[in-house]
Amino acid sequence: MNNKVNVLRLTLVVALGGLLFGYDTAVISGATEALQSYFQLTPAELGFAASSALIGCVLGAIVAGDFSSRYGRRGALKIAALLFLISAVGSAIPESYWTFVVYRIIGGIGVGIASMVSPMYIAEVAPPKKRGGLVACNQFAIIFGMLVVYFVNYGIALIGTETWLNTTGWRYMFASEVIPAGLFLLLLFTVPETPRWLAMRGRNDEAYSLLKALNNGNGADVDHQWRDIQSSFKQHNSTSIVASGFFGVLVIGIMLSVLQQVTGINVFLYYAPTILKGFSNSSIDIALLQTILVGAVNLGFTVVAILTVDKFGRRPLMMLGAALMAVSMIAIGTAAYLNAIGGYLLIFVLLYIGAFALSLGPVVWVLLSEIFPNSIRSKALSIAVFAQWAANFVVSQTFPMMNDPQSSVYQTFNGGFPFWLYGVMGIFTIYFIYKWVPETKGKSLEELEELWEKSAKSAEEKMITNH
């Protein structure tokens, strides 16, 4: 083991899992018309081709906890990288619609695993004072992956004619994922396991040596951290979430995951062209507008979050962001209800995207990666991420129904209802964070366990006193 291990390098390697998360999710955006033409798809079949990866994401979240406990954080990421590779090749060569769907589901499983394990790995190797910013790098990588694939798809589309794109070009779009997936798999062989997983498996000498290397040989600090890690596993050796006494923490994690989604982010990520077209009669290419403006704002404010989350803390960023998101959604809903639609609403869309990128986007992942105790982290994080993908699915499926001009909800509220609903969820998010989510900046993962224990004991004492 080297005397020093560069934590930033480990973060950048593991964040490639986040980049592939974004890449795999968005790659189909440039191929939908070609797929419909090549496979002669009905609208329902096209919709399933686009959303089938989401099934894989849910499955990936379910197995990620077991994989990361059994094979290690690095081992689980290697499995995800291999699945990305298989999906990239398989999605590029099928001659039947259902073969294509199967390979998209395989890629989705990789996304589900990477979405959980990448931030967990980073949290387990990062120094406490830098953990928030380093974990937030994974969110930056997700957005960057989406932007990269938009331009890759655009470049491939320019190579040939529309006929070529519909018969052959779309295959290159999916095959292009082989490059980042192959690079991710190779680079994973250059990173170590996390010290906390090694300690969990009883490999204490390796764990201590790695912890020392990660902390640049700061002996006193390492000894303190090492004692806390060992104490954590001795005190909480149960892998049952209920038996461990941290079920309440799991509920908070699930709520954070769900609130990240039900405040409406994927409505703009998935349906932005439709929404923006409704705001303005401008002749500007709406798809390009979405890529440049929404993508740039998303990326830019994620950088702001990376630079500030360890300085200002998790709670202030989350509450400020949720407030701005709520204001934006309520303004958009009110404009729709009053039929005061216009290009000016793009300002509120961008304000919403920027607020999300500053807060619920990266910071929820930071909190999920750090709030769970060592002994149950894999299992609890897997459940929370499963809830996130399930909420993503519900929001993505219900928005088109609420936004259908033929629906009674749309006709009653003139299209404003879903935006009001997401705005109310934003207000509830502020209350939930204020009431239930403690500040975690600057604390080690083991110190956070003690914080939860004290909170639980305090709650029990209040209940006994009240009764």
Side-chain angles (χ1 to χ4, degrees):
M1 178 68 65
N2 294 330
N3 291 330
K4 294 184 180 181
V5 174
N6 190 318
V7 176
L8 180 59
R9 188 187 75 81
L10 301 187
T11 299
L12 294 176
V13 170
V14 173
L16 279 172
L19 185 143
L20 281 157
F21 172 166
Y23 200 105
D24 192 87
T25 302
V27 66
I28 198 169
S29 64
T32 51
E33 291 183 12
L35 290 170
Q36 189 167 24
S37 172
Y38 188 84
F39 293 117
Q40 296 295 298
L41 303 180
T42 65
E45 287 172 332
L46 180 62
F48 186 67
S51 63
S52 57
L54 207 55
I55 297 172
C57 293
V58 172
L59 293 174
I62 292 172
V63 302
D66 181 60
F67 282 7
S68 61
S69 291
R70 184 175 302 184
Y71 307 117
R73 296 10 175 175
R74 182 182 61 176
L77 288 173
K78 286 179 181 177
I79 293 171
L82 192 59
L83 292 172
F84 285 129
L85 268 174
I86 293 169
S87 175
V89 175
S91 300
I93 62 174
E95 291 300 328
S96 75
Y97 167 71
W98 286 108
T99 303
F100 174 81
V101 166
V102 167
Y103 281 108
R104 287 296 294 157
I105 292 174
I106 290 172
I109 296 173
V111 170
I113 295 172
S115 68
M116 183 205 117
V117 182
S118 288
M120 179 169 65
Y121 180 102
I122 297 168
E124 289 191 345
V125 301
K129 292 182 179 179
K130 297 180 180 179
R131 188 175 59 243
L134 290 173
V135 174
C137 286
N138 191 64
Q139 179 71 13
F140 176 89
I142 293 171
I143 301 160
F144 187 68
M146 291 181 176
L147 280 177
V148 168
V149 80
Y150 286 147
F151 288 107
V152 169
N153 285 349
Y154 181 68
I156 291 171
L158 292 178
I159 292 174
T161 64
E162 186 175 345
T163 301
W164 174 83
L165 182 63
N166 290 342
T167 56
T168 305
W170 64 269
R171 298 181 184 277
Y172 288 93
M173 293 180 178
F174 292 101
S176 67
E177 192 177 343
V178 167
I179 298 171
L183 182 64
F184 183 41
L185 182 59
L186 288 174
L187 288 175
L188 283 172
F189 284 93
T190 71
V191 304
E193 260 303 344
T194 73
R196 287 169 176 85
W197 182 81
L198 290 170
M200 184 175 70
R201 306 298 285 189
R203 294 159 62 176
N204 291 333
D205 290 343
E206 292 177 69
Y208 179 78
S209 176
L210 176 57
L211 191 67
K212 194 171 183 179
L214 288 167
N215 284 271
N216 294 334
N218 186 344
D221 185 49
V222 169
D223 288 339
H224 178 72
Q225 284 189 57
W226 179 240
R227 284 194 297 271
D228 286 347
I229 290 172
Q230 288 187 307
S231 175
S232 167
F233 284 114
K234 287 177 182 177
Q235 290 180 22
H236 311 294
N237 55 12
S238 172
T239 57
S240 166
I241 295 173
V242 176
S244 70
F246 287 98
F247 182 75
V249 185
L250 175 63
V251 173
I252 291 174
I254 291 172
M255 286 298 296
L256 286 170
S257 285
V258 171
L259 289 171
Q260 186 197 56
Q261 298 299 313
V262 300
T263 43
I265 182 58
N266 283 315
V267 166
F268 286 119
L269 294 184
Y270 295 165
Y271 302 107
T274 302
I275 294 169
L276 292 172
K277 283 177 184 175
F279 289 170
S280 174
N281 293 321
S282 171
S283 60
I284 297 174
D285 186 327
I286 298 298
L288 186 59
L289 185 68
Q290 176 200 17
T291 300
I292 296 173
L293 287 179
V294 174
V297 169
N298 205 347
L299 203 64
F301 277 89
T302 301
V303 173
V304 175
I306 291 170
L307 297 175
T308 58
V309 67
D310 286 314
K311 182 178 181 181
F312 299 127
R314 285 56 158 158
R315 279 165 53 92
L317 285 185
M318 295 264 283
M319 293 171 70
L320 173 63
L324 292 174
M325 290 163 66
V327 168
S328 301
M329 281 296 196
I330 291 170
I332 292 169
T334 303
Y337 180 73
L338 298 175
N339 202 27
I341 297 297
Y344 71 95
L345 287 178
L346 180 61
I347 295 171
F348 286 107
V349 173
L350 296 179
L351 176 63
Y352 174 90
I353 294 292
F356 176 84
L358 181 68
S359 59
L360 298 191
V363 183
V364 163
W365 284 111
V366 171
L367 282 164
L368 289 178
S369 69
E370 64 188 6
I371 62 174
F372 299 121
N374 288 325
S375 59
I376 62 166
R377 182 171 296 119
S378 295
K379 188 177 294 185
L381 189 52
S382 180
I383 294 170
V385 173
F386 168 80
Q388 189 172 123
W389 284 112
N392 180 336
F393 179 79
V394 170
V395 172
S396 302
Q397 290 297 306
T398 55
F399 176 74
M401 297 160 62
M402 292 188 288
N403 203 45
D404 181 0
Q406 304 304 316
S407 70
S408 59
V409 171
Y410 185 94
Q411 292 174 0
T412 302
F413 298 99
N414 202 29
F417 179 79
F419 301 103
W420 284 341
L421 178 62
Y422 305 139
V424 170
M425 288 296 101
I427 294 171
F428 176 74
T429 300
I430 300 169
Y431 169 78
F432 180 80
I433 293 166
Y434 175 78
K435 186 75 175 176
W436 298 107
V437 180
E439 183 53 67
T440 60
K441 75 166 184 172
K443 295 181 174 67
S444 73
L445 298 179
E446 291 68 38
E447 286 173 335
L448 291 175
E449 288 189 34
E450 294 179 11
L451 179 69
W452 290 118
E453 286 181 336
K454 290 177 182 176
S455 297
K457 286 179 182 177
S458 176
E460 287 176 9
E461 290 171 359
K462 286 181 181 178
M463 289 175 65
I464 292 170
T465 302
N466 292 335
H467 284 79

